[in-house]
Amino acid sequence: MKSSVIVFPGSNCDRDIAVALEKMQFENKMVWHKDTSLPKSDLIVIPGGFSYGDYLRSGAIAGKSLIINEVIKAANSGCLILGICNGFQILTETGLLKGTLLRNKNLKFINKDVNIKVINNSTKFSNKYKKDEILKINIAHNEGNFFTDSNHLEELKKENLIAFQYCDEKGNINEEVNPNGSLENIAGIYNQKKNILGMMPHPERMVDEIISNKDGINLFSSLLN
Amino acid sequence: MKLILERQFLSNLKKNKLKFSVTVTLKKDVLDPQGKVVQNTLVNMGMNNLRNIRQGKHFEIEIDENDTEVAQKKIDEMCKKLLVNLIIEDYKINKI
């Protein structure tokens, strides 16, 4: 499977995701944001980081970069797109995903391992997970507080577009285990066609027992499935 | 000399510059934790009659344009396309 990782000035998880993809046997290429064409890809990843120093709003400037036009074209023709952390913020700024990510409710940058629940396990990104499986995945962000209008929230629920929700070790979803104030504890969402996933947690950091755990691996093996 | 001055005057006329300010604030229903913290701090400092604070962003934009209406439309386009996230923010354009 061929993947491309888009690199912006200020991206800092681009290498981590490339290492994870290569470990999982993806044929990966890095693509600079000023490029105007994409290599042939089955998966495009927009990595985490602080593109353009988070100027204006997180992801706002990157969302207008040259390569993004190509990403939008690819997305519309069904290519799989994964946006992690800043990548999720960029996807909302481009309009590929609806909603937005506000400043964390406690105004603090949060870097910790949290529990998330797999809500929909029948997508290209999640078919190797069990439904309601609980994963321990790292989050590291300042703007992860997912917000959207009530119509979109209704659509997310009705059409099973919520990918992950923050939960406790037993899988209970409540305000106490909501790290950043996200609506309904939402940690990741799909677009309507389910070929685009945006998520705040970092699965690429959870692919090796030595440094963390392997809870992120099944996301990549789902894609290969 | 007179000719040069006239030319300068004419070119200045052509490149008439207009200046606008854009104020961006979070919509009423969107929680503004920064504004809340600033408000709480001011109350703690003794500003007891303080009712509410919403924090926002301010842009000053100069544009090479003679026609105020055309310029205003251009600024509005800038707001919609980049400066403002319409899901969570409101904006006001003022000529300055």
Coordinates of all heavy atoms in Angstrom, one line a residue, chain B residues 3 10 16 23 35 48 54 70 89:
Chain B
L3 N 5.6 69.7 -12.8 CA 5.1 68.4 -13.5 C 5.3 67.2 -12.6 O 4.4 66.4 -12.5 CB 6.0 68.3 -14.8 CG 5.4 67.2 -15.8 CD1 4.1 67.7 -16.4 CD2 6.5 67.0 -16.8
L10 N -1.2 62.6 -9.0 CA -2.0 61.7 -9.8 C -1.8 60.3 -9.4 O -2.8 59.5 -9.2 CB -1.7 61.9 -11.3 CG -2.4 63.1 -11.9 CD1 -2.0 63.2 -13.4 CD2 -4.0 62.9 -11.9
N16 N -5.0 55.2 -4.1 CA -5.6 55.6 -2.8 C -5.7 54.5 -1.9 O -6.1 53.4 -2.3 CB -7.0 56.2 -3.1 CG -7.4 57.2 -2.1 OD1 -6.7 57.4 -1.1 ND2 -8.4 57.9 -2.4
T23 N -12.7 43.1 13.7 CA -12.8 42.5 15.0 C -13.4 41.1 15.0 O -14.5 41.0 14.4 CB -13.6 43.4 16.0 OG1 -13.0 44.7 15.8 CG2 -13.4 43.0 17.4
G35 N -11.4 34.4 28.0 CA -12.1 35.6 28.4 C -12.6 35.4 29.9 O -12.5 36.3 30.7
N48 N -15.5 44.9 40.8 CA -16.7 44.2 41.1 C -17.9 44.3 40.2 O -18.7 43.4 40.1 CB -17.1 44.5 42.6 CG -16.2 43.9 43.6 OD1 -15.7 42.8 43.3 ND2 -15.9 44.6 44.6
R54 N -15.5 39.0 26.7 CA -15.3 38.1 25.7 C -14.0 38.5 25.0 O -13.8 39.7 24.6 CB -16.4 38.1 24.6 CG -17.8 37.8 25.2 CD -18.0 36.4 25.5 NE -18.3 35.6 24.3 CZ -18.3 34.3 24.3 NH1 -18.2 33.6 25.5 NH2 -18.6 33.6 23.2
V70 N -16.1 48.7 -2.8 CA -15.4 47.6 -3.4 C -14.4 47.1 -2.3 O -14.2 45.8 -2.2 CB -14.6 48.1 -4.6 CG1 -13.7 47.0 -5.1 CG2 -15.6 48.5 -5.7
E89 N -16.9 31.8 15.1 CA -16.6 33.2 15.3 C -17.5 34.2 14.5 O -18.0 33.8 13.4 CB -15.1 33.5 14.8 CG -14.1 32.8 15.7 CD -12.7 32.8 15.2 OE1 -12.5 32.8 13.9 OE2 -11.7 32.8 15.9

